[in-house]
Amino acid sequence: MSALNLYWPFHKAFKRPMGFIHQWMILSAFLGVIFPHQSNSQSPNASATDARSLDALLQDYAYRGLVHPRTGVPYDGVAPSNLTGIKIAALRLKSGSLYKRGVEGYKEFRLPPGVFVQPYVERLVLVYQNLGNWSSFYYPLPGYTYLTPVLGLLAYDAANLSATNLPELDLVAAQLPVSVGFSHVNPVPSGSIAKCVWFDLEGSADFRVMETRNNCLTFRQGHFSIVVNSSEVSSSPDHPIHAGSKSSKSKIWRVVGWIVEGVVVFVILAVIVALMRRHKKNQKLAQMEQFADAQVSLQRIRVGNAQLPVASEMRTQPVLENDLVP
Ligand SMILES: *[C@@H]1O[C@H](CO)[C@@H](O)[C@H](O)[C@H]1NC(C)=O
Ligand SMILES: *[C@@H]1O[C@H](CO)[C@@H](O)[C@H](O)[C@H]1NC(C)=O
Ligand SMILES: *[C@@H]1O[C@H](CO)[C@@H](O)[C@H](O)[C@H]1NC(C)=O
């Protein structure tokens, strides 16, 4: 956006004999158009969609670890190199076996009998995610501090192990809940209460009371962690999971935002100064005209009906000067 573009509506306004108020109204309307746009560009709110595209990416990479897989055996995958710190795995199962027997241990998850997926597929893959130090980047939770990495468990159709962009199946624990036993939980600050948090696939967070010190229960798939209110952990602000959640990229964008804002404010100030000068000039002109009109009417009153150009003679009063001489 250039200064010229900003200036142009006013350029037009200047050409017309417009009152200051009228010009000010146009300027205000223009500011209203600029500033909401500004604030939007400064707070990108795309983390829910970012998390969804991460799910799709990790499904692809987890499936790559399934080369001639044996049913019921978890295979660790390798996350893309730009996401170092994230751990993934894939476990292929028969739907019937999952429902009848459950899965005793799949990383931190334990699935009891009675778990099924909708729509029905013969074989499914359970993709496991451990987001590590990327947890608060993909699942920002203002006001809370993570005590564990965010873990994900998502179900997909196993019919085609080369498929990408697969939709998740709906996973339901019909009898007993799935248990998430976090292997390492940061110490809970004294006096505060840790809570389980569950993010559904739309990214909305749901808080639950914890079962035991490191255990959360769920009847659905999604992403899971343990949190405490951030205000209760003010003594340790440099929590490893919370630190560095905002990249240098967002810093650059913030600086660019400041610069753009600075330019816009400068241009607007320049326009306001120009408008005020213009207004003053117009006011002066109007005053001079008024003054001239007053003079003319004054002359008319004094001269009466005679239309004579005798103004200059009337203005000087030589009689007064003579009176002052003793
Ligand atoms: C990481 O790389 C993959 C391709 O390997 C790309 O699709 C993805 O957007 C990248 N993610 C980030 C956060 O840069
Ligand atoms: C997580 O740690 C890895 C190195 O172990 C680093 O490359 C990556 O940038 C970190 N991610 C975040 C979000 O800080
Ligand atoms: C499996 O998915 C891949 C990638 O989408 C596709 O190219 C391939 O044709 C699919 N195979 C079958 C048997 O559907």
Side-chain angles (χ1 to χ4, degrees):
M1 145 186 1
S2 78
L4 230 107
N5 281 347
L6 271 177
Y7 196 77
W8 134 159
F10 300 101
H11 205 265
K12 236 177 168 179
F14 278 152
K15 294 252 158 101
R16 269 180 280 158
M18 219 180 258
F20 182 66
I21 300 289
H22 199 157
Q23 286 171 349
W24 176 249
M25 275 164 69
I26 291 179
L27 180 67
S28 312
F30 200 61
L31 290 183
V33 173
I34 294 169
F35 277 102
H37 180 76
Q38 278 268 308
S39 57
N40 277 354
S41 67
Q42 279 204 337
S43 57
N45 205 8
S47 46
T49 48
D50 285 350
R52 288 309 286 149
S53 44
L54 179 71
D55 286 341
L57 189 69
L58 296 183
Q59 177 266 313
D60 178 11
Y61 277 74
Y63 269 47
R64 292 181 197 190
L66 293 174
V67 185
H68 309 299
R70 282 173 57 202
T71 300
V73 176
Y75 291 85
D76 285 344
V78 179
S81 56
N82 58 358
L83 292 170
T84 305
I86 292 182
K87 290 181 203 134
I88 51 173
L91 169 66
R92 195 176 65 142
L93 294 167
K94 279 188 165 172
S95 271
S97 147
L98 175 64
Y99 187 81
K100 255 184 264 162
R101 286 189 284 274
V103 178
E104 193 42 53
Y106 176 33
K107 306 289 183 182
E108 287 91 340
F109 293 90
R110 199 164 57 80
L111 292 86
V115 175
F116 65 93
V117 291
Q118 280 178 321
Y120 174 82
V121 293
E122 198 192 335
R123 290 165 193 272
L124 68 133
V125 172
L126 293 176
V127 168
Y128 164 87
Q129 308 174 355
N130 180 331
L131 299 188
N133 61 341
W134 295 85
S135 296
S136 57
F137 181 85
Y138 281 105
Y139 290 89
L141 206 53
Y144 292 92
T145 299
Y146 285 116
L147 298 185
T148 71
V150 169
L151 304 181
L153 184 73
L154 301 171
Y156 299 94
D157 190 354
N160 181 355
L161 295 180
S162 317
T164 56
N165 286 316
L166 280 176
E168 285 82 10
L169 302 167
D170 198 9
L171 182 139
V172 181
Q175 296 161 13
L176 294 167
V178 173
S179 142
V180 194
F182 294 92
S183 51
H184 176 80
V185 184
N186 281 358
V188 179
S190 60
S192 60
I193 297 163
K195 278 177 277 192
C196 293
V197 60
W198 164 56
F199 297 94
D200 65 18
L201 294 185
E202 279 75 45
S204 59
D206 191 66
F207 297 92
R208 297 279 166 85
V209 180
M210 292 196 64
E211 284 308 305
T212 66
R213 201 188 58 78
N214 67 339
N215 212 291
C216 295
L217 300 179
T218 178
F219 289 90
R220 312 299 296 271
Q221 66 190 332
H223 293 83
F224 309 89
S225 188
I226 297 172
V227 295
V228 287
N229 281 353
S230 291
S231 55
E232 291 160 352
V233 284
S234 50
S235 51
S236 57
D238 288 321
H239 192 274
I241 295 170
H242 242 235
S245 65
K246 289 294 159 222
S247 64
S248 56
K249 206 168 138 193
S250 75
K251 264 186 205 156
I252 289 167
W253 277 115
R254 219 182 305 157
V255 169
V256 169
W258 287 341
I259 291 169
V260 170
E261 204 167 300
V263 168
V264 167
V265 165
F266 177 80
V267 168
I268 284 164
L269 282 179
V271 168
I272 288 171
V273 167
L275 284 175
M276 281 171 84
R277 273 199 188 155
R278 182 107 194 151
H279 175 63
K280 245 187 188 164
K281 212 169 127 192
N282 285 345
Q283 223 175 19
K284 228 179 190 170
L285 267 170
Q287 269 178 357
M288 279 162 76
E289 270 171 38
Q290 250 179 7
F291 185 67
D293 285 348
Q295 287 278 320
V296 170
S297 52
L298 194 73
Q299 286 161 28
R300 279 191 188 137
I301 287 164
R302 290 212 176 174
V303 179
N305 285 336
Q307 298 283 330
L308 293 172
V310 287
S312 55
E313 279 172 29
M314 295 303 290
R315 274 184 204 154
T316 45
Q317 308 253 340
V319 192
L320 279 171
E321 225 175 87
N322 289 344
D323 278 354
L324 287 172
V325 178

